[in-house]
């Protein structure tokens, strides 16, 4: 569609920027608290429920702490929280069986939140890294992250999370074939209404650094995740991966990280017209929050950075700023 634009002076675009009321009327995209998913770090390791140094303002919480955070989310109008466990290092193995323990930390936290604040949607992370002694999202054999064996493990993990009451499963592992395998297992296991928000286009990114500190995976991880996460140089591949995950039964898709990949967000939304999410990841949060705390940029960058995702077509955003933004918007 080609817009019709009168020549100057008939057309003076500044007319619609003259007052706040006119700017509001002419505004195309808006950010609402209802667009936000708040990621939370949970731990039961004594002393680990503490601030995350590389994410100022973010702390790991006990199970009671995440329940309180979920209550706060409900009060603020945030529709969903997403849980990431900081697992006791003694429970990490190379076979990762803690990942599908029905009583693991994440599953206990899901049950506690659903019991206390049933109206909040709880999203969980499906990937082996919090439970893997080797820090990878998949099972490692002879230095190789093996795909199909990992998918079998992820399916068990997904079923345990669904059993615990998770509303949304977030497979963040980037193995091939995991969405289809999970979807059929959920159908067969009586969990037909559990939604899958696939991390469909997840890039191998240095912006995840602070997150790995938060979940205690930084020390364990040897090497990088480039054999399963995407090459930052690729855009067509993101389209193919989103198409594949939708065909396998994903209900929603995610692009991750967010701000450096807004082109991918826009392309995915335009092409598939499905619920599209972006993850404003830990490194993006750290950069913005760090600069705000230094006084180098104003706090307004928070809203501006999130509005960008709406403009790019995202329906929602996972962001550590969720409670701050909710307060600003109210
Ligand atoms: C791992 C996982 C990661 C994030 C979410 N799930 C890190 C990684 O892939 O190494 C990153 C989130 C963030 O940086 O905020 N399954």
């Amino acid at each position: 569609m080609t817009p019709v634009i009168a020549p100057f002076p008939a057309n003076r675009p500044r007319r619609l920027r003259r007052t706040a009321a006119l700017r509001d009327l002419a505004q195309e995209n808006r950010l609402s608290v209802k667009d936000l998913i708040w990621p939370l770090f949970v731990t039961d390791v004594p002393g680990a429920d503490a601030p995350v140094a590389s994410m100022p303002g973010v702390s790991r919480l006990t199970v009671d702490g995440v329940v309180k955070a979920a209550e706060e989310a409900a009060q603020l109008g945030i529709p969903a929280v997403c849980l990431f466990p900081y697992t006791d290092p003694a429970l990490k193995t190379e076979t990762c069986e803690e990942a599908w323990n029905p009583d693991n930390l994440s599953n206990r936290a899901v049950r506690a939140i659903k019991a206390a604040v049933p109206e909040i949607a709880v999203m969980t992370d499906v990937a082996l890294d919090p439970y893997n002694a080797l820090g990878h999202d998949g099972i490692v054999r002879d230095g190789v992250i093996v795909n199909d064996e990992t998918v079998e493990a992820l399916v068990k993990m997904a079923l345990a999370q669904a059993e615990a009451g998770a509303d949304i499963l977030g497979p963040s592992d980037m193995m091939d074939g995991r969405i289809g395998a999970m979807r059929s297992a959920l159908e067969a296991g009586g969990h037909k209404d559990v939604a899958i928000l696939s991390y469909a286009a997840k890039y191998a990114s240095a912006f995840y650094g602070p997150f790995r500190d938060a979940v205690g995976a930084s020390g364990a991880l040897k090497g990088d995740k480039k054999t399963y996460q995407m090459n930052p140089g690729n855009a067509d591949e993101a389209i193919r991966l989103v198409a594949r995950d939708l065909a396998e039964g994903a209900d929603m898709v995610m692009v991750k990280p967010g701000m450096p990949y807004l082109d991918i967000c826009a392309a995915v939304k335009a092409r598939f017209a499905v619920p599209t999410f972006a993850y404003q990841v830990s490194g993006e949060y750290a950069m913005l929050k760090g600069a705000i705390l230094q006084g180098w940029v104003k706090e307004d960058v928070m809203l501006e950075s999130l509005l960008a995702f709406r403009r790019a077509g995202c329906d929602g955003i996972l962001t550590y700023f969720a409670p701050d933004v909710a307060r600003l918007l109210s």
Side-chain angles (χ1 to χ4, degrees):
M1 189 188 59
T2 313
V4 178
I5 303 169
F8 176 84
N11 176 43
R12 288 183 186 269
R14 288 187 56 193
R15 283 185 203 119
L16 296 182
R17 297 185 208 129
R18 189 171 56 85
T19 68
L22 292 168
R23 288 192 294 275
D24 274 347
L25 278 175
Q27 182 164 336
E28 299 169 33
N29 298 285
R30 268 174 231 283
L31 181 68
S32 153
V33 63
K34 298 296 174 199
D35 303 324
L36 307 178
I37 300 177
W38 184 12
L40 299 171
F41 299 111
V42 61
T43 188
D44 56 0
V45 177
D49 52 321
V52 180
S54 49
M55 300 180 73
V58 173
S59 292
R60 293 182 211 98
L61 305 169
T62 60
V63 172
D64 286 349
V66 290
V67 170
K68 283 201 193 80
E71 282 162 353
E72 187 187 344
Q75 272 152 21
L76 290 166
I78 298 169
V81 296
C82 180
L83 293 180
F84 293 101
Y86 173 102
T87 311
D88 181 348
L91 295 173
K92 296 187 186 188
T93 60
E94 294 192 15
T95 38
C96 311
E97 40 287 284
E98 183 63 9
W100 53 93
N101 173 358
D103 289 315
N104 72 19
L105 172 63
S106 172
N107 293 331
R108 276 185 280 125
V110 171
R111 284 198 190 87
I113 294 174
K114 292 309 290 188
V117 215
E119 68 271 29
I120 279 277
V122 178
M123 174 169 166
T124 48
D125 189 56
V126 191
L128 299 179
D129 51 324
Y131 310 98
N132 191 342
L134 300 172
H136 276 288
D137 293 23
I139 291 168
V140 186
R141 289 232 182 281
D142 302 323
V144 174
I145 290 88
V146 291
N147 193 87
D148 300 8
E149 209 177 316
T150 299
V151 170
E152 284 173 33
L154 294 170
V155 165
K156 289 188 264 183
M157 185 178 184
L159 284 172
Q161 293 177 348
E163 204 61 53
D167 299 285
I168 305 169
L169 304 185
S172 69
D173 55 286
M174 289 296 280
M175 297 300 122
D176 291 323
R178 87 270 206 227
I179 302 298
M182 271 175 219
R183 178 51 79 210
S184 12
L186 289 168
E187 285 289 325
H191 299 294
K192 59 183 172 28
D193 291 330
V194 172
I196 297 178
L197 169 44
S198 166
Y199 289 61
K202 175 171 176 180
Y203 288 84
S205 172
F207 286 98
Y208 307 148
F211 173 96
R212 293 179 192 165
D213 297 340
V215 298
S218 306
L221 181 64
K222 303 269 180 308
D224 57 49
K225 300 191 176 184
K226 290 180 184 168
T227 69
Y228 45 107
Q229 299 179 348
M230 280 180 67
N231 180 340
N234 291 356
D236 287 345
E237 188 188 6
I239 300 298
R240 296 197 297 274
L241 293 178
V242 168
R244 178 204 53 188
D245 284 3
L246 290 170
E248 289 184 19
D251 303 283
M252 308 177 267
V253 293
M254 192 200 295
V255 174
K256 176 182 176 193
M259 205 148 75
Y261 297 89
L262 282 173
D263 57 327
I264 308 298
C265 297
V268 165
K269 186 61 177 186
R271 189 107 173 202
F272 296 101
V274 295
T276 302
F277 289 75
Y279 198 143
Q280 183 180 54
V281 300
S282 56
E284 299 175 65
Y285 172 86
M287 286 194 306
L288 294 170
K289 189 72 174 191
I292 292 168
L293 291 174
Q294 291 289 333
W296 292 337
V297 295
K298 284 205 232 158
E299 206 185 31
D300 304 29
V301 295
M302 246 170 15
L303 291 179
E304 189 178 333
S305 70
L306 295 170
L307 188 56
F309 294 112
R310 300 282 295 130
R311 211 177 51 238
C314 291
D315 298 283
I317 310 119
L318 286 92
T319 176
Y320 302 97
F321 285 122
D324 293 346
V325 164
R327 274 183 281 269
L328 278 177
L329 291 175
S330 72

